[in-house]
Amino acid sequence: MHPARLWKPLKNGAAQCRLCSHFCRIGPGERGICAVRVNVDGELCTLVYDRAAAINVDPVEKKPLYHFHPGSRTLSFGTMGCNLGCSFCQNWSLAQPPREGRQVAGQEVTPGMLVAAAVEASCGSMSYTYSEPTVFFELMRDTAALARERGLLNIMVTNGFMSPECLTELATLIDAANVDLKAFTPEFYERVCQARLDPVKKNLARMRDLGWWIEVTTLVIPGLNDGPEELAAMAAFIADELGTETPWHLSRFHPDYKLTDRPPTPAATLETAWKIGREAGLDFVYVGNLPGNAHNSTVCPACGQTAIARSGFSVVDGPAPGGKCMSCGAGLAGRFGD
Ligand code: SF4
């Protein structure tokens, strides 16, 4: 149990959590929607400050970030808990147990231990990921500050449903984010995710204004968000509000958690979605979770040749130094270091 930040006291010992856009009102002894923040005698506390449920060294491509220091390693960790309740959750064993009343499990960690593990493993960055990092904000913030002191970059893999205050606190600490855009109708967010679309759209635009490198991921689910009009609306939003240089990752759905009544996304649907993204003017559209597909490498917008060749999550060639196309030398959008 650790004191939470970003909350305010209400009458009768209640507290309002201001960490995400649910803004839960939490009575004494109760937990918020994410079930990892609890009101103890009128004080809001977090149950996950010192509990990592998963820690791994990953290629940064696995986040997925394809234009952010390609080929580098990132120390990835997450606690249990999520502020969304998506029926299709692909990471439900970490994200959903607290909401189902189960134990908040994990190994004991400190920010110092996590940053030391990253340095030891020659990682260039920390990634706050796996579940939803917003709900382990205090651990993320302290770790990110320490990581920055040690010369590491900070990556957030998020559903984008944090509060404006949370984003303000993270503004200067985070370098890059992969943000889910799960669908483009308020109804989907409310019914399937138990959240709202509007805060996600606003936060995406604000992250761009903060100067974070942004890549967007959409899990394409048969019958739920795979209509051409909806995909075109998403692609237009990304192009118009975030910029045509923003990579869009179209990820293949597999039946999981509570959504087991439909098949994996057909390859043809992903191909159609890819075309829709390109027709909207997006320079970089990728297909994920579909081994061997044709849209995993980066094609240079200037010359049409392969600029970064990948096999799965491994970079096998490119880019040229400084993030330039291997063929024509044009600069690629992204953050590439020296
Ligand atoms: S993080 Fe969000 S879901 Fe969790 S208690 Fe705070 S406002 Fe509620």
Side-chain angles (χ1 to χ4, degrees), residues 255-272:
D256 214 338
Y257 194 43
K258 295 176 181 168
L259 199 65
T260 54
D261 64 346
R262 60 202 69 215
T265 320
T269 304
L270 293 159
E271 184 67 23
T272 300

Side-chain angles (χ1 to χ4, degrees), residues 59-72:
V60 74
E61 283 73 17
K62 205 168 177 179
K63 299 306 96 192
L65 286 178
Y66 276 17
H67 292 241
F68 188 79
H69 300 272
S72 66

Side-chain angles (χ1 to χ4, degrees), residues 1-299:
M1 197 90 78
H2 184 89
R5 292 171 48 86
L6 298 181
W7 64 278
K8 67 175 190 184
L10 301 173
K11 286 180 187 161
N12 302 320
Q16 185 186 43
C17 180
R18 301 196 58 81
L19 185 51
C20 89
S21 291
H22 285 309
F23 298 111
C24 297
R25 301 168 78 88
I26 308 171
E30 294 174 359
R31 297 186 186 190
I33 290 172
C34 60
V36 294
R37 293 168 87 75
V38 59
N39 179 338
V40 180
D41 298 330
E43 304 281 323
L44 199 63
C45 295
T46 167
L47 298 172
V48 290
Y49 184 78
D50 58 356
R51 294 261 162 256
I55 308 175
N56 293 293
V57 175
D58 287 330
V60 74
E61 283 73 17
K62 205 168 177 179
K63 299 306 96 192
L65 286 178
Y66 276 17
H67 292 241
F68 188 79
H69 300 272
S72 66
R73 290 144 66 92
T74 184
L75 195 290
S76 307
F77 74 89
T79 72
M80 282 196 167
C82 189
N83 49 351
L84 269 59
C86 307
S87 61
F88 54 85
C89 185
Q90 308 272 296
N91 225 350
W92 57 272
S93 64
L94 291 180
Q96 301 298 334
R99 291 172 67 113
E100 295 172 344
R102 305 209 330 256
Q103 193 194 353
V104 180
Q107 71 183 86
E108 207 169 317
V109 292
T110 64
M113 287 164 62
L114 292 162
V115 172
V119 172
E120 170 77 23
S122 303
C123 293
S125 60
M126 309 289 304
S127 287
Y128 312 100
T129 179
Y130 296 137
S131 50
E132 171 48 46
T134 300
V135 307
F136 61 87
F137 165 76
E138 291 82 3
L139 175 60
M140 169 169 56
R141 179 180 167 275
D142 290 356
T143 306
L146 199 56
R148 175 66 52 88
E149 282 175 21
R150 299 294 302 269
L152 299 172
L153 300 167
N154 288 305
I155 294 166
M156 196 174 181
V157 182
T158 177
N159 58 36
F161 196 64
M162 66 281 284
S163 66
E165 295 99 309
C166 175
L167 209 40
T168 297
E169 289 257 345
L170 294 172
T172 59
L173 287 173
I174 300 295
D175 300 285
N178 186 295
V179 185
D180 279 347
L181 186 58
K182 294 172 187 283
F184 214 60
T185 63
E187 189 263 346
F188 179 104
Y189 266 83
E190 284 158 25
R191 185 173 60 84
V192 184
C193 304
Q194 297 157 38
R196 300 188 316 282
L197 170 62
D198 208 44
V200 178
K201 288 165 65 179
K202 288 193 173 117
N203 284 339
L204 270 164
R206 182 142 177 246
M207 288 174 195
R208 179 216 48 200
D209 291 345
L210 289 171
W212 297 7
W213 175 252
I214 304 293
E215 303 194 17
V216 174
T217 294
T218 300
L219 185 74
V220 181
I221 307 172
L224 279 186
N225 65 357
D226 62 344
E229 286 179 9
E230 183 168 357
L231 290 166
M234 271 192 261
F237 168 80
I238 296 168
D240 296 346
E241 300 296 326
L242 308 179
T244 54
E245 72 283 10
T246 307
W248 190 23
H249 299 266
L250 298 159
S251 189
R252 189 186 201 202
F253 161 86
H254 294 277
D256 214 338
Y257 194 43
K258 295 176 181 168
L259 199 65
T260 54
D261 64 346
R262 60 202 69 215
T265 320
T269 304
L270 293 159
E271 184 67 23
T272 300
W274 181 87
K275 283 184 185 146
I276 287 169
R278 295 286 290 128
E279 281 163 10
L282 296 176
D283 287 331
F284 306 108
V285 185
Y286 300 104
V287 171
N289 280 352
L290 187 62
N293 88 85
H295 307 304
N296 192 38
S297 291
T298 298
V299 175

